[in-house]
Structure formats: structure tokens, C-alpha cells
Amino acid sequence: MGIIERIKEIEAEMARTQKNKATEYHLGQLKAKIAKLRTQLLEPPKGSSGGGDGFEVTKYGHGRVALIGFPSVGKSTLLTMLTGTHSEAASYEFTTLTCIPGVIHYNGTKIQLLDLPGIIEGASEGKGRGRQVIAVAKSSDLVLMVLDASKSEGHRQILTKELEAVGLRLNKRPPQIYFKKKKTGGISFNTTAPLTRIDEKLSYQILHEYKIHNAEVLFREDATVDDFIDVIEGNRKYIKCVYVYNKIDVVGIDDVDRLARQPNSIVISCNLKLNLDRLLARMWDEMGLVRVYSKPQGQQPDFDEPFVLSADRGGCTVEDFCNHVHRTLVKDMKYALVWGTSARHYPQHCGLAHRLEDEDVVQIVKKKEREEGGRGRFKTHSNAPARIADREKKAPLKQ
């Protein structure tokens, strides 16, 4: 029996099992088995070199956005309108067969936009080049799930299920669970919050399913069984997602209003060029890019070429800004002068841990190198031991 057949058999067993207090341990073990099998499904076959016929493109710009959706929902048209890059669009499905990159120039930054082939139900099992598409989505900073406003709402659930089956968690934060394997000592289980959806016995059974008998486990929140399995697997990607409903010009105004009020959703029309500027602004807010302008000492700030920071790519502190400029600047920095919304007053003296905000101006003040010998009889330091350095005889002043 293959891996896919075993997964379907376990899913069928879970579907016919009643959910109550007596069966929660059995269901937890079945969920762990499915997670293990899906991880094996994504691994390359034994004996292969690991390389595949993927279509990964080189990262470019200050951020990466992936377009994911069913065939013929308008992904290629949206890429052409936002970036100017030509992507073939036609009335038949699977027009796009490979990954087509484009660049959006917005607010002085460069954002890479990827048009991916349409995925279908069963993509997590490899249907329709689904694995390659999802692999590219994992390397993105933001996912735009393009949906057809005139079709059923079930497309959103199908796509979300396919992405979650391969370890992509949309609009979720990592669970507050500390987990570390050990060589000896058994399993240490602790919690700082009351648990209502998982207990110590169920945690032990899940760990034994993974053949883990020595580990430290600490729950900092009321997590679920799925959250605990995600932490044990350790290969989950938590990524932001915006649901983009295209073709709103073919549905009624009531449906448009209902879709626009859903969380993390935005409505557009590529045919009539409606609401595209709002889509760009929403992408900018979700990616959290921070533009920082450098100011050389005694000169005006350079507003032409900002340094772009983000929490997903390193961080947004003064130390991260120094690393962007040059890797040795952190050692030479004495303090930083900051102008902008993150400063309490202008300018504010800040250290390496200060968190910068969008459109801040930063001037780095370096440490001064001390002269080796000082000047005349007033030299600043001595090479003698500390106990006699203050009694060292100075040279007489020249007449």
C-alpha cells in the first residue's frame, strides 16, 4: 500500500470515529500518523540526488509575493497590470505552465511578484505540478490567493487545505510551545497555562508515535493537538496571506460588499482596473517593509536610495541597519542619531537595540581612535602598570 492510500485510509477512519472524551487519544494518534506520512510524501525518493524539475527563480528585490489560485482566475492578467511583464493569458485553463517573475516598483522599493501555474485539488499529492508551485510559495514573504468572485466559496477552503497539507500555515503565528529533544532523562512535561484541548497523557502518546522518549515540553498557551504536532515536525512555514477576489464586475454589489468585509480579503477587477491601488497598499502593509534613509555627518540625508528592512528578513533594529550598510560597522559604532516616528525627540541618541520605523533617518557616529602616545606632557594614557601610572614623571615643557 502506497503512502497516499495509507493517508486516505487513516482519514476515512477519522471520519467514521465519533469525537468524544473517550476517543480523543485515538484521534490524536491518527493525526500524528497522518503528519508523519505527509512529511514522507514530500521527501525526495531514496537514491535520488534531490534535484527536481522545479521552476524556482532567483530572489530579487526587497520582498517576494507569490500568486496562487485555480486556473483561469486572472493571475497572469494581474501580473501584467502590476509589473508590466508579459504573461500569456487566454480563455483556456493552464495557460501558464512555469513560474513567470515580475518586479513592482512601489514606494521606492522593488517587490518581486511571481505568477505560478494554477493548482488543482490534490496538489499536495503531486497532481498538476502542485508540489513545485507550493515549494515556491514557501520561499515567499506573502501569498496572494487569487479567487474568482463569481464561483463558489469552496475554492478558498480547497486551496487552504492543500497548502496546510504540505506545511504552510496561512495567517497564523507559531504556537507558544517549547520543545527540545534530549538523549536521556525521559520526558519532562510542564505548562504555564491551563490546557483544555490536550493533556499530558495525549502528549506522551504523540511523542511515542514519533519514537521520542526523551524530551522537554513546555506549553505557554492553550494549544491544540495539531499545534503540538507542528512543533514536533519543525518544518512548518507561517506566512501571511491576502485573499484577492477578482472579476467583481460580473457579480452583484451585495456579493462584492460581503466579500470585501471578510478578514484578510480585498476585491479587484483586472478587466476594469478597479481597486488595484488598494491592493498594492494592502501588500505593502502586510509585508511590513521599513525604509531607512542614511545621513552622512555634516550632509543632507540621502532620500534617493533607502535601506529596506523587514521583520521577516533579519529585523528592523539599528544593528540590522548597520549590517545592511557594512558588516564591520557594528564594531565601530559609538551611537546612532535617529530622526523619525520612532524617536522621542529630534535627534535621539540610540543604541543597537533601538527599533526603527518607516522613513526614519539614521546617522551613525563612530568611535574615535585614540592616539598611541598622546601629545607632549599631557598624554592621555600610559603603558606603565596602573599603580604607578599616575606617578609617572612627565617630560619638561620646551622653552
Side-chain angles (χ1 to χ4, degrees):
M1 184 183 296
I3 297 178
I4 297 176
E5 288 77 13
R6 290 165 63 188
I7 290 176
K8 290 182 178 179
E9 183 181 340
I10 295 175
E11 287 178 342
E13 183 178 353
M14 291 177 63
R16 63 175 178 262
T17 302
Q18 293 184 350
K19 293 183 179 180
N20 52 47
K21 196 70 176 176
T23 61
E24 64 178 4
Y25 298 110
H26 179 60
L27 289 173
Q29 284 185 310
L30 293 180
K31 287 181 179 179
K33 288 181 179 179
I34 286 183
K36 284 177 60 180
L37 290 174
R38 283 179 173 157
T39 302
Q40 295 176 17
L41 193 64
L42 295 176
E43 293 176 351
K46 293 182 179 180
S48 66
S49 60
D53 55 346
F55 36 71
E56 177 64 275
V57 295
T58 306
K59 278 193 174 185
Y60 177 80
H62 305 110
R64 168 179 277 197
V65 180
L67 297 174
I68 283 185
F70 277 88
S72 296
V73 294
K75 299 187 297 297
S76 300
T77 307
L78 182 60
L79 175 83
T80 303
M81 299 187 69
L82 293 180
T83 67
T85 303
H86 176 69
S87 181
E88 186 179 355
S91 57
Y92 54 87
E93 294 186 346
F94 295 105
T95 311
T96 304
L97 298 177
T98 184
C99 178
I100 299 177
V103 179
I104 302 174
H105 296 271
Y106 188 74
N107 284 346
T109 63
K110 298 173 184 177
I111 301 173
Q112 187 180 43
L113 187 65
L114 302 179
D115 179 19
L116 299 172
I119 62 177
I120 57 177
E121 191 171 3
S124 59
E125 300 170 1
K127 294 181 181 178
R129 303 195 74 183
R131 291 189 199 172
Q132 292 94 325
V133 173
I134 294 170
V136 176
K138 275 191 171 184
S139 65
S140 303
D141 302 310
L142 176 68
V143 168
L144 294 185
M145 187 181 291
V146 185
L147 303 164
D148 192 336
S150 62
K151 295 188 178 179
S152 64
E153 182 68 16
H155 284 185
R156 176 170 166 174
Q157 277 78 17
I158 293 173
L159 288 173
T160 304
K161 181 181 177 182
E162 294 295 332
L163 294 177
E164 289 198 345
V166 295
L168 271 175
R169 300 292 179 260
L170 303 179
N171 297 323
K172 294 181 180 178
R173 60 175 180 81
Q176 299 296 309
I177 302 174
Y178 173 77
F179 172 76
K180 182 181 179 181
K181 291 183 182 179
K182 297 189 302 183
K183 294 183 178 179
T184 57
I187 297 175
S188 170
F189 184 90
N190 292 290
T191 175
T192 60
L195 302 180
T196 59
R197 294 173 285 187
I198 189 174
D199 57 10
E200 187 173 354
K201 180 181 176 182
L202 181 54
S203 301
Y204 282 18
Q205 289 184 346
I206 294 173
L207 290 172
H208 290 163
E209 185 67 36
Y210 280 92
K211 295 181 173 58
I212 299 174
H213 306 289
N214 302 284
E216 291 182 14
V217 180
L218 172 61
F219 282 79
R220 296 191 178 98
E221 64 178 3
D222 186 15
T224 62
V225 175
D226 296 318
D227 293 335
F228 187 46
I229 293 174
D230 287 348
V231 172
I232 295 175
E233 287 283 348
N235 58 356
R236 305 305 190 224
K237 177 72 183 290
Y238 298 86
I239 192 169
K240 295 179 181 178
C241 177
V242 176
Y243 304 99
V244 181
Y245 290 92
N246 190 20
K247 305 180 182 180
I248 61 171
D249 51 318
V250 298
V251 298
I253 189 65
D254 294 335
D255 293 331
V256 174
D257 183 66
R258 177 180 58 83
L259 294 174
R261 293 180 183 277
Q262 292 183 2
N264 302 311
S265 301
I266 192 165
V267 292
I268 64 168
S269 173
C270 293
N271 186 26
L272 301 179
K273 300 182 180 180
L274 295 177
N275 217 25
L276 295 180
D277 53 346
R278 185 70 62 84
L279 173 61
L280 288 173
R282 184 64 180 270
M283 285 170 50
W284 176 264
D285 293 339
E286 292 292 338
M287 295 182 73
L289 298 180
V290 175
R291 294 165 293 173
V292 180
Y293 302 101
S294 61
K295 181 186 179 303
Q297 192 169 1
Q299 301 179 26
Q300 292 295 321
D302 181 14
F303 291 113
D304 296 329
E305 291 291 334
F307 292 90
V308 182
L309 312 175
S310 69
D312 296 331
R313 294 193 179 189
C316 301
T317 62
V318 173
E319 183 177 1
D320 302 318
F321 170 75
C322 293
N323 291 328
H324 267 69
V325 178
H326 198 275
R327 64 177 183 270
T328 62
L329 189 58
V330 174
K331 300 178 182 178
D332 300 333
M333 191 191 94
K334 184 178 182 182
Y335 59 88
L337 297 175
V338 179
W339 294 261
T341 55
S342 68
R344 298 179 181 177
H345 48 81
Y346 300 149
Q348 180 180 346
H349 286 58
C350 301
L352 292 173
H354 179 77
R355 191 171 186 82
L356 300 171
E357 296 181 3
D358 193 28
E359 295 190 314
D360 278 358
V361 177
V362 179
Q363 175 183 329
I364 303 297
V365 179
K366 293 185 176 181
K367 302 173 183 176
K368 291 184 179 179
E369 296 182 1
R370 300 177 64 178
E371 295 183 7
E372 196 58 39
R375 202 181 296 172
R377 64 181 285 123
F378 303 103
K379 64 180 183 177
T380 55
H381 63 284
S382 171
N383 296 327
R387 64 181 183 275
I388 62 172
D390 57 337
R391 295 186 281 114
E392 186 179 20
K393 186 175 181 180
K394 311 296 189 298
L397 291 174
K398 293 183 179 179
Q399 297 295 334

